[in-house]
Every structure is written in structure tokens, then in C-alpha cells.
Amino acid sequence: MQFFGRLAADYEAMFGVTLESLKGKRVLDCPSGPSSFVAQACAAGVDAVGVDPLYEHGANELRQRCMDDIAYTVKSMATYEGAYSDLDLQAYADNKRAALELFLPDYEADRAGVRYINASLPTLPFADGEFDHTFSAHLLVTYSDPASGGILPNSPFTLEWHIAAVIDLMRVTRGSLHLYPTTTRTNPARRHPYIEEIVRRIETKNLRSHHERNSNADNMGVWKCRFEPSTYQRGDASQNYLNASLVIERQHHSH
Ligand SMILES: C[S@@+](CC[C@H](N)C(=O)[O-])C[C@H]1O[C@@H](n2cnc3c(N)ncnc32)[C@H](O)[C@@H]1O
């Protein structure tokens, strides 16, 4: 699992949102990693919080881990003949390093641990409906098993793990939950089967997990799914028509 992250501008492209539109909102980024989303969003007046299990470590350790992971990943992408042909790998690495340099000072400044929380899916330490919007990029789908279209051999992130993770992300979200990517890392790309199953279960009100704490589907409320076109470059331009985030939106009924 790679510990590197992207810039706020990349989040805007992935999810089709602007920091401006999130101003004054309470927003969760999970996983946040060494992405600069939280730092840049907070600077723009967003009440943003990031979650990652590696936040148990100090800034120096995270810097080293991130630099190593960027170098390793770019090297393996350069030798991979698959879906990355449209990517400028130098720009890809520069982008991750730029995000790290914005992340680290903000991470170090957060001594009270209110913006960067050490926790992991599928069990988040937040109240029900605490966030107006939740963003989750490059963990779900991406790190599923290659047999399902992800990149992590022997992945612990099974379909049931994905279902439990989405249920807890929905639980802490009052407005909308946004997931990216939604396609496989195959050439050609397809809609990821776990995304199709998540949508199917939400639409048939059948979203239950083996995770006991979350097993009461009746308390979940009413949600709608839609795909939002994304302009984020994944390196597989031939599949751009499938490039989208999944928006899972809570339906608020007026009385
Ligand atoms: C590639 S980064 C994505 C960062 C950012 N969202 C982005 O798109 O740039 C994936 C992150 O997932 C974190 N992670 C791994 N297992 C996790 C879990 N169970 N719950 C939450 N985050 C996890 C890793 O530590 C890593 O920082």
C-alpha cells in the first residue's frame, strides 16, 4: 500500500467539486495520507479532517515513507506496459512531492490532533452524521485484489470489507459521500464490480455488512447514487467516458 497523496486541485478534478463550494462545511478526507487536501482546504475556510492509520507516526517517519513510496511506484509504473501510457511520470512524482511539502508542516502544527486522526476503515471514531461531505480516494477499489480489478495481490480489502467501509463512511456523513476511482486498473478499464455491488445494495436498500456494529440497515436512512464525471488523469485516456466518482447522497425529507 502506497503512502503518498495528491493536491487539493486533484481532489477538485477527481470529484468535480471546488474548495470554494466546501467553504464553511465540515468535511472528512479518508484516507488522507500525505495528501495536502486537508491543509489547503482548511486554509480556504473548510473545516476539514483527515484520517489515516499511518498518522500514528511522526512527521520525519512519514516523510521518509512517502519519498520511498513515490520512488518505488514511479519505477514500477515506468516498467509496466499496461494502463499508464498517457501519464507523465516525472509530473506524477513532482505532484506527490508537492502535496507532501504542503501536508508535513500542517501535520506537525496539529499537535492537538484535531485535523489529522489516526484511525482506519471500517471503524471511524466519529459521531453519526458529523460531516457534511466525505471524500474517499485511492484506497477503496484501487487496493482491491487484481482478480477484481485492483492492484494489490492478496488484498485484505474484500467485497465485504468494502461494504463495511462504505457503511461506516455513510454513517458519519450527513450530506454526501464521494468515492474515487470507480473503474478497474485493467486495460481496457471497466466499472469496478465492487462499485456496481455497492450501488446495487444501496438501491435495493440491502446494505448490510457482517460488521456487527453496522448491521442495522433500517437506521441508515434513504440514499441515492449517481456518477459524477471526473477530469482527473488516470493514464488511460481511452476510457475517459467511464472516469467518474460515485456520489452517494443522503435524501433529506421535509416534514
Ligand atoms: C494512496 S493513499 C491515498 C491518499 C489520498 N486520498 C489521495 O487520493 O491522494 C492510500 C492511503 O490509505 C491508507 N490506508 C490503508 N489502510 C487503511 C484503512 N483500513 N483505513 C483508512 N486508510 C487506510 C494508507 O495508509 C495510505 O495513506
Side-chain angles (χ1 to χ4, degrees), residues 1-7 11 14-15 29-35 51-55 65 96 119-122 124 135-139 142-143 157 161 180 232:
M1 162 92 40
Q2 278 88 340
F3 184 72
F4 55 60
R6 292 159 183 81
L7 295 164
Y11 277 59
M14 289 189 279
F15 295 111
D29 178 26
C30 175
S32 199
S35 146
V51 161
D52 203 286
L54 288 188
Y55 292 163
R65 168 77 194 255
K96 309 287 173 297
S120 50
L121 288 168
L124 297 172
F135 297 94
S136 183
H138 295 110
L139 169 60
T142 303
Y143 291 96
F157 307 120
W161 182 90
Y180 186 87
Y232 184 74

